[in-house]
Amino acid sequence: MIIKKIAFAVLLGSLGTTVQAEQKFQVEDIEVKGLQRVALGAALTHIPFNVGDTLNEFRISQSIKALYKSGHFNDIRVYRDGNRLVYRVYERETISEIIFDGNKDLKDEQLTESLDGSDIRVGETLDRTVLSGIEIGLENFYHSVGKYNARVTSKVTHLPRNRVNLEFNFVEGDAAAIKQINIVGNEVYSDAELLDRIELTFDSPWWNFMAQDRYQKQTLQGDMETINSYYLDRGYLRFKVDSTQVSMTPDKQGVYIALNVSEGETYTISEVDFIGDMAGFDKTIRAINPLQAEELYNGAEVTYTEEVISKFLGRYGYAYPKVTTIPEINDEDKTVKLSISIDPGKRVYVNRINFSGNHVTADKVLRREMRQMEGAWLSNSVVEASKAWLMRLPYMETVEFETKQLPGEGDLVDIDFTVKEQPSGSFTAGVGYGSQTKLSLNAGVQQNNFLGTGNQLGLNLSTNTYSKSVSLSYTDPYFTVDSVSLGGQIYYNEYDAGQANLVEYNNKTFGLGLNWGFPVNEYLRLNFGVGWKYNKVSQLQAYEQIQTFYDIYADPQHPDELEPFKTLDLNMGLSRSTLNRGTFPTAGSQQSLTYKMTSPKSDLQYFKVNYDSKFYFPLTRNQRWSILTRLQLGYANGYGTVNGHDQLLPFWENFRAGGADTLRGFENNTVGPRAVYRQPQPYRGTPDPTGSGSGCCLGADQDGVYASSRSVGGNAIALAGLELIVPTPFLDESFSNSVRTSFFVDVGNVWDTEFNMEHYEDLVPGEFEKIDDYSDVGRYRSSAGLSIQWLSPMGPMIFSFAKSLKEVEDDDTAFFSFNIGKTF
């Protein structure tokens, strides 16, 4: 069909749109040609008239504008064929791929996010008009960080089916170096004193690789604020930066900075007054105010005062107070009157507390940790405490909250907590290597958030070269609404001490127990427990430290076995925690004091006391650098008598050290006293005619004595550690809650306070080792190394490399350990 091109030729701007000029007419049909991706119906919705309407030139031009405004078309032309309108459109290209080349300072993710804000994304149509603006915006960013030679260009490559590839090419260049910073007008403080406090530097030595000698506009603005605050904090109330000049060398590689300042004089506070409504807390607010008359004006202290008053009011439901300090300056006597204006606003109440991100943990588990109650007034300190309690849960990685006012309700808010869970269950597996035990393996499973209830279920199946165990435990931390906990466990264990670097014996143990926990306050908890235990010791190689114990309990029919022991254990503990996180804490402390004893009617009567503490000291505001100090002290002994002998601590209850959980750098159980053996010294009599002679032994005072290379542990222990927690190299900050790197120094020892070595001083030393080295008393072991911990989906993993700091004969030093499922 031949379309008559009779003009009413309307040219709209520079778009080259042609329309046939004619008088009013009634449209009989509307046709749109050139559509590829856009549906016909979608295009017609942007044309503001229908078939049968009467049209003129103006209405047709409006339809063209509406189609352009839809964002789908690059070019639109309109033709008339009788009473038919034909739109010839050229669709915008669809972006098939966005490519970045040459960018180093800006990551691809940042650029993609920036383009997304300009509606430039894969799968969308390309608006070429915004490309030049994007190029200029990116270049301005590079200029703000001192890269004045940076260039950004975009390239559009056409593809079949009306698609394009969009490529951005970056030439970043080097940042302009600061050649000199001059401060003009300062008399009280020297250039050196002021420059030492700002971030930008110049003429730094080559070894100071942390120096900020590249010009950045934002950094300069921050440095100006730093100088301003420095003067204000010292009473110079009229100080100001009059002007700033930044000049560039012709090659745009160097920058000269000049700051012109006016110092003024110091001002003293003449009076501190309070105006406004103090919500009935007049006396308290005046008492917590640190500002005093006759003192030098201090800008930082003024800001601190405003924050203190705001936080105080926030504790009592005034969530949005306005605290402003109004200075009245007297330039004649250089004084300033400070009027602190207080507007507490309405007392705000909590309407609803919401949780999101808890895909496994039930809402009620999180809600029971809340110290802020719904219906009560909003207290900022109580909300922060609620966050801290959530963070202490071992299955929470991060916790954030946001307070939102209800629309139209000035005194009601919702609190939205957003949590990120971390693996609560763990598959325990591990491998270790030592120069004596060689390769060792273990395995097990544990669940700390069973079915999202917050309850702890442990089905622990563990096996390695020296131990096989199975245990089932369950703990409900909120057995009552008052946070009284109840738990129980049943277990069975087979232990081969000879494979664990100890003196040979086998011990089969099974038992069961119950435990209760009672909160004393927000941080302190009291625990009680009772348990029944059965021990069967066999294949025992008796040695001097346990000879008395052996004589009492040995089975005459089986000299290498002891009678089975049944004990009723009573436990009591006191624990305190102010840690900021349940896993990988960076601030706060944790202490525990535990006491365990067997009942007087048990086969064995003994007690054990243990104190354990950890203190975290953050070194930076973001707490990525922290210091950890650790201390463990323990003592155990028997009580009462049996068959006229004092009760002794069973040797299998001895403290032991060495390994990833106690003293890194040494193999498991290798630190502490060695087993002492006494050996009769034989002599041969006069030979008889057959050539053989009678044999006999020398007296007991001529016995030989030696210490084995095997450790036996002891009834006293002291361990300490110092650890520097650092950001993990090459990992983004977002991984700081799941990966931890630290450098450590461990020191400690185990010893036996009941064994008297003086009884053996006159005996003959054996050939194996000097007897003086048996006990390790006063000979503390120490090690240093690197530890990397990772909270993986399977459970906690630890990689550590440690080296003992002092070589001691017969020490078994472990250089490498790798574990999954270890307790931090």
Side-chain angles (χ1 to χ4, degrees):
M1 177 178 177
I2 301 175
I3 301 177
K4 296 166 61 177
K5 298 183 180 179
I6 303 174
F8 57 87
V10 177
L11 182 64
L12 299 175
S14 61
L15 299 176
T17 303
T18 305
V19 186
Q20 295 177 348
E22 202 171 285
Q23 298 299 320
K24 292 183 179 181
F25 67 97
Q26 188 176 34
V27 63
E28 296 178 354
D29 190 20
I30 301 173
E31 184 178 358
V32 182
K33 293 186 176 183
L35 294 177
Q36 298 183 46
R37 183 179 55 84
V38 181
L40 175 61
L44 292 176
T45 59
H46 295 287
I47 298 176
F49 49 77
N50 299 309
V51 172
D53 291 351
T54 300
L55 304 182
N56 56 19
E57 178 181 330
F58 175 75
R59 294 195 67 184
I60 295 174
S61 66
Q62 289 297 103
S63 71
I64 296 172
K65 292 179 180 179
L67 286 171
Y68 271 120
K69 193 174 180 180
S70 70
H72 296 306
F73 308 107
N74 273 332
D75 190 32
I76 303 170
R77 298 176 184 272
V78 182
Y79 302 93
R80 178 179 171 188
D81 180 15
N83 289 336
R84 294 177 62 250
L85 278 182
V86 179
Y87 289 80
R88 182 65 183 179
V89 298
Y90 298 88
E91 291 184 356
R92 287 179 176 173
E93 305 96 330
T94 301
I95 301 174
S96 175
E97 185 179 6
I98 300 176
I99 303 169
F100 305 108
D101 183 41
N103 55 304
K104 295 180 181 178
D105 286 356
L106 289 175
K107 297 180 180 179
D108 288 2
E109 294 80 6
Q110 293 174 295
L111 292 169
T112 301
E113 184 178 351
S114 176
L115 293 177
D116 191 70
S118 301
D119 292 328
I120 301 294
R121 61 180 71 91
V122 173
E124 297 291 334
T125 57
L126 173 62
D127 184 359
R128 294 173 181 264
T129 61
V130 303
L131 291 182
S132 60
I134 292 173
E135 293 171 354
I136 294 173
L138 291 173
E139 288 181 359
N140 287 338
F141 166 78
Y142 282 109
H143 294 170
S144 70
V145 296
K147 294 193 173 184
Y148 292 97
N149 289 318
R151 294 292 179 267
V152 181
T153 57
S154 59
K155 179 182 176 182
V156 178
T157 304
H158 291 274
L159 301 173
R161 301 192 305 278
N162 202 32
R163 296 176 301 123
V164 294
N165 280 347
L166 180 58
E167 182 177 353
F168 288 91
N169 294 296
F170 296 80
V171 180
E172 294 182 337
D174 296 326
I178 300 174
K179 299 297 184 181
Q180 193 170 2
I181 303 176
N182 294 316
I183 302 178
V184 181
N186 55 308
E187 296 179 359
V188 179
Y189 301 108
S190 66
D191 286 9
E193 193 170 358
L194 296 176
L195 293 175
D196 189 51
R197 282 164 173 77
I198 65 176
E199 190 173 348
L200 291 178
T201 62
F202 67 96
D203 198 23
S204 302
W206 64 269
W207 47 265
N208 188 5
F209 56 89
M210 297 293 290
Q212 179 64 280
D213 58 357
R214 300 293 181 180
Y215 173 72
Q216 294 191 22
K217 183 179 180 180
Q218 294 87 343
T219 306
L220 176 60
Q221 292 173 342
D223 286 344
M224 291 167 59
E225 288 295 326
T226 299
I227 295 175
N228 184 71
S229 298
Y230 185 74
Y231 275 92
L232 287 179
D233 295 348
R234 287 155 181 78
Y236 292 91
L237 192 56
R238 292 295 193 187
F239 172 84
K240 63 178 180 177
V241 179
D242 296 318
S243 61
T244 305
Q245 290 88 38
V246 179
S247 56
M248 194 179 309
T249 58
D251 61 359
K252 298 184 179 181
Q253 295 296 313
V255 170
Y256 291 86
I257 302 174
L259 303 177
N260 297 289
V261 303
S262 297
E263 292 179 324
E265 298 184 39
T266 58
Y267 284 73
T268 303
I269 300 174
S270 61
E271 183 183 353
V272 180
D273 190 21
F274 291 89
I275 58 177
D277 180 9
M278 289 187 275
F281 299 106
D282 306 49
K283 185 178 295 185
T284 304
I285 290 177
R286 293 180 186 276
I288 64 177
N289 166 44
L291 297 173
Q292 301 296 327
E294 307 302 325
E295 291 184 353
L296 205 62
Y297 177 85
N298 187 316
E301 198 164 65
V302 169
T303 302
Y304 173 73
T305 301
E306 295 173 349
E307 293 176 351
V308 166
I309 296 174
S310 296
K311 288 182 178 179
F312 173 77
L313 292 172
R315 292 175 58 186
Y316 295 94
Y318 299 98
Y320 307 106
K322 296 179 181 179
V323 182
T324 308
T325 303
I326 305 171
E328 298 179 27
I329 302 174
N330 188 329
D331 290 318
E332 292 184 3
D333 57 7
K334 307 303 178 190
T335 61
V336 56
K337 177 184 176 181
L338 300 179
S339 298
I340 302 177
S341 173
I342 301 175
D343 179 10
K346 292 183 177 180
R347 176 169 276 180
V348 178
Y349 294 83
V350 177
N351 175 64
R352 179 71 180 169
I353 299 177
N354 304 307
F355 299 96
S356 62
N358 51 316
H359 306 297
V360 175
T361 309
D363 265 27
K364 67 177 184 180
V365 175
L366 305 180
R367 197 170 296 278
R368 68 192 185 189
E369 302 295 335
M370 292 293 99
R371 271 50 192 168
Q372 174 69 63
M373 297 290 104
E374 294 175 345
W377 69 55
L378 174 65
S379 172
N380 50 24
S381 60
V382 177
V383 176
E384 288 289 347
S386 301
K387 175 184 175 180
W389 276 86
L390 288 176
M391 287 293 292
R392 293 191 190 110
L393 295 175
Y395 38 87
M396 287 296 150
E397 182 175 338
T398 60
V399 178
E400 300 295 339
F401 70 86
E402 183 180 5
T403 303
K404 294 182 178 179
Q405 280 188 302
L406 269 65
E409 302 288 345
D411 58 351
L412 284 178
V413 298
D414 283 348
I415 305 176
D416 295 337
F417 279 90
T418 303
V419 303
K420 182 180 180 182
E421 296 172 312
Q422 61 189 12
S424 58
S426 62
F427 167 74
T428 304
V431 57
Y433 182 83
S435 57
Q436 183 174 7
T437 58
K438 304 305 179 185
L439 188 67
S440 62
L441 304 171
N442 61 74
V445 292
Q446 180 76 25
Q447 174 57 256
N448 292 322
N449 186 18
F450 182 60
L451 298 179
T453 63
N455 299 339
Q456 299 173 2
L457 173 66
L459 175 57
N460 201 335
L461 307 171
S462 179
T463 178
N464 53 39
T465 55
Y466 55 86
S467 176
K468 296 179 178 61
S469 66
V470 57
S471 66
L472 177 65
S473 63
Y474 190 82
T475 301
D476 184 352
Y478 278 85
F479 182 68
T480 71
V481 294
D482 299 323
S483 189
V484 174
S485 63
L486 175 65
Q489 63 278 338
I490 183 170
Y491 55 90
Y492 175 80
N493 177 263
E494 294 182 4
Y495 189 76
D496 185 349
Q499 295 293 328
N501 301 320
L502 296 169
V503 170
E504 289 280 357
Y505 71 88
N506 288 348
N507 187 6
K508 291 184 179 180
T509 307
F510 65 86
L512 51 87
L514 290 174
N515 56 77
W516 300 264
F518 300 88
V520 178
N521 56 37
E522 288 288 285
Y523 308 107
L524 199 62
R525 193 170 186 85
L526 192 60
N527 300 287
F528 297 94
V530 60
W532 179 85
K533 184 189 296 183
Y534 173 91
N535 284 92
K536 177 61 178 177
V537 178
S538 61
Q539 298 186 20
L540 173 64
Q541 294 182 356
Y543 48 93
E544 291 300 301
Q545 286 98 322
I546 65 167
Q547 191 62 50
T548 302
F549 187 89
Y550 178 81
D551 291 342
I552 297 173
Y553 297 108
D555 184 349
Q557 303 299 323
H558 303 280
D560 63 343
E561 294 184 3
L562 299 179
E563 296 285 351
F565 300 103
K566 303 179 185 67
T567 58
L568 182 66
D569 299 338
L570 306 175
N571 304 280
M572 183 176 69
L574 192 64
S575 61
R576 181 179 185 273
S577 176
T578 61
L579 297 178
N580 63 336
R581 287 174 47 81
T583 306
F584 293 155
T586 55
S589 64
Q590 184 180 59
Q591 304 90 35
S592 66
L593 178 65
T594 59
Y595 179 80
K596 168 188 172 182
M597 66 174 292
T598 57
S599 68
K601 296 298 183 179
S602 298
D603 292 343
L604 298 171
Q605 295 176 194
Y606 63 91
F607 67 89
K608 297 182 77 171
V609 182
N610 198 78
Y611 171 76
D612 197 355
S613 70
K614 295 179 180 179
F615 288 85
Y616 291 85
F617 302 95
L619 301 178
T620 58
R621 182 170 296 180
N622 62 9
Q623 298 185 357
R624 297 193 68 195
W625 293 75
S626 296
I627 292 287
L628 164 62
T629 62
R630 298 183 294 107
L631 176 65
Q632 180 187 348
L633 302 174
Y635 178 77
N637 215 327
Y639 74 92
T641 60
V642 55
N643 299 329
H645 298 280
D646 289 338
Q647 288 273 13
L648 299 174
L649 178 71
F651 56 88
W652 59 85
E653 292 285 348
N654 279 347
F655 295 107
R656 294 154 187 161
D661 290 335
T662 54
L663 197 59
R664 291 164 288 191
F666 296 88
E667 280 202 60
N668 290 338
N669 306 325
T670 57
V671 176
R674 309 297 195 247
V676 174
Y677 291 94
R678 186 167 182 164
Q679 187 176 49
Q681 296 295 314
Y683 76 93
R684 189 174 298 280
T686 303
D688 58 20
T690 63
S692 61
S694 59
C696 191
C697 297
L698 300 176
D701 58 346
Q702 296 297 313
D703 284 352
V705 63
Y706 67 91
S708 77
S709 61
R710 297 281 188 168
S711 173
V712 296
N715 69 323
I717 187 173
L719 299 172
L722 182 66
E723 204 156 337
L724 174 63
I725 301 169
V726 302
T728 304
F730 313 115
L731 279 185
D732 189 81
E733 186 176 354
S734 60
F735 290 95
S736 60
N737 292 328
S738 55
V739 180
R740 165 166 289 181
T741 300
S742 61
F743 297 92
F744 63 84
V745 175
D746 290 345
V747 62
N749 199 21
V750 175
W751 63 94
D752 189 341
T753 65
E754 294 298 305
F755 184 61
N756 190 354
M757 196 59 207
E758 294 180 358
H759 297 161
Y760 301 83
E761 289 180 348
D762 296 331
L763 301 181
V764 179
E767 58 180 320
F768 297 98
E769 183 180 321
K770 292 183 179 179
I771 195 63
D772 297 340
D773 292 338
Y774 106 94
S775 67
D776 286 346
V777 174
R779 297 169 58 226
Y780 283 88
R781 302 293 195 256
S782 59
S783 63
L786 167 70
S787 174
I788 299 177
Q789 305 176 46
W790 173 35
L791 195 63
S792 74
M794 290 190 302
M797 302 175 65
I798 299 178
F799 169 82
S800 61
F801 178 87
K803 179 68 171 64
S804 59
L805 298 180
K806 182 179 179 182
E807 295 295 340
V808 180
E809 186 178 359
D810 288 328
D811 274 348
D812 191 8
T813 304
F815 297 92
F816 171 80
S817 63
F818 173 74
N819 299 276
I820 304 174
K822 300 297 290 186
T823 302
F824 297 107

